[in-house]
Amino acid sequence: MAQSKLWTKAPTWVVYSLGFLPAAYLVYGVVTNSLGPDPIAVLENNLGEHALQFLLLGLAITPLMRFAKINLVKYRRAIGLIAFFYVVLHLLVYTLLDRQLDLNAIIGDIWKRPYITIGMSAFLLLVPLAITSNNFSIRKLGAATWNKLHKIVYAAVILGALHYMLLTKTWQLEPIIYFTLAVLLVASRKFYPKRKKQTRQNPQTSKTQTA
Ligand code: HEM
């Protein structure tokens, strides 16, 4: 209990700073030319992996609160936005550096390579979530609609993890672990203790309000 209180005392900017550290480390790698013989692949893969890690961390917040009574809800928006930041960088590295803005090649990839089609779908699903991750949108949409809309994240994370699994032709352990985690985190929603009827959740505090 005391431990969970300690966690919630850190200001949100600490989470943003920690979240941007891996990106800073990659920038350092670029500047010092220490990313190895294929720096574009290293950037692309690392950014994709960080995106997935933060997406999974965001999904873990509710189960942590429900099952372990660790309340990190106040960091959820920051974690979600950090995840989106990595997805956008991942996409930028792919379009600008990997494909050098060759639109035919990019459209061809999206059309012909299932893992790219799926990655793109995950990205598109995350866009409305990132756009509405602010107090104005929560007020405008209302907590119930906002919560409903943000359930899209479950599909986006599963697609993101599937995208990783389909990258390789052989079964690799790491993507399987990520995919299993994504499925378990989404499925865990089915096993929460039932809330009292006619209550809705405030997305910022996760406190329930009687309707
Ligand atoms: C939620 C969205 C996404 C997530 C979570 C994600 C995640 C990942 C991960 C984990 C990897 C592999 C990293 C590794 O091997 O260590 C990866 C690789 C890659 N992703 Fe994504 N990705 C997403 C969206 C996209 C999109 C939108 C595109 C392009 C349209 C894309 C293109 C690629 C490419 C080209 C690779 C590298 C493939 C290779 O190594 O040959 N991803 N992504």
Side-chain angles (χ1 to χ4, degrees):
M1 193 69 179
Q3 212 178 11
S4 87
K5 282 197 176 133
L6 198 74
W7 273 104
T8 52
K9 273 185 186 147
T12 314
W13 64 260
V14 172
V15 174
Y16 278 111
S17 311
L18 290 175
F20 293 136
L21 273 184
Y25 186 67
L26 285 174
V27 171
Y28 172 79
V30 172
V31 172
T32 56
N33 203 9
S34 57
L35 292 183
D38 192 351
I40 294 176
V42 172
L43 275 180
E44 196 169 53
N45 289 333
N46 275 283
L47 291 168
E49 210 157 331
H50 293 317
L52 195 50
Q53 287 158 353
F54 281 104
L55 284 171
L56 290 171
L57 189 60
L59 269 196
I61 286 178
T62 305
L64 274 175
M65 186 174 64
R66 298 282 171 84
F67 297 121
K69 303 281 176 253
I70 296 173
N71 189 343
L72 300 178
V73 172
K74 85 172 202 196
Y75 306 119
R76 180 152 51 194
R77 182 191 295 176
I79 291 169
L81 288 174
I82 293 165
F84 190 69
F85 164 78
Y86 281 104
V87 175
V88 170
L89 288 186
H90 178 61
L91 181 58
L92 284 176
V93 168
Y94 162 77
T95 47
L96 299 180
L97 303 180
D98 190 348
R99 290 326 219 160
Q100 306 197 335
L101 219 54
D102 179 344
L103 282 183
N104 285 333
I106 294 169
I107 293 167
D109 274 355
I110 295 173
W111 190 247
K112 286 190 207 133
R113 296 185 180 195
Y115 81 88
I116 300 271
T117 319
I118 290 171
M120 202 61 187
S121 313
F123 168 70
L124 291 177
L125 288 178
L126 289 173
V127 172
L129 308 190
I131 292 173
T132 56
S133 284
N134 52 70
N135 292 340
F136 174 77
S137 299
I138 296 170
R139 270 200 309 277
K140 221 48 202 153
L141 293 169
T145 310
W146 192 94
N147 277 323
K148 229 180 244 172
L149 174 72
H150 278 248
K151 286 197 173 27
I152 292 178
V153 75
Y154 305 152
V157 182
I158 300 261
L159 289 176
L162 186 62
H163 157 79
Y164 188 9
M165 238 181 21
L166 295 180
L167 270 175
T168 49
K169 292 204 169 73
T170 54
W171 293 102
Q172 305 266 339
L173 186 62
E174 216 182 332
I176 292 176
I177 292 175
Y178 278 113
F179 185 74
T180 310
L181 264 177
V183 170
L184 286 177
L185 285 170
V186 171
S188 71
R189 265 83 187 154
K190 286 268 164 232
F191 302 102
Y192 293 154
K194 287 253 184 307
R195 288 176 180 285
K196 278 187 201 145
K197 264 193 176 163
Q198 288 201 308
T199 59
R200 58 171 115 85
Q201 196 178 31
N202 181 319
Q204 286 320 296
T205 61
S206 196
K207 284 184 182 136
T208 50
Q209 305 158 337
T210 309

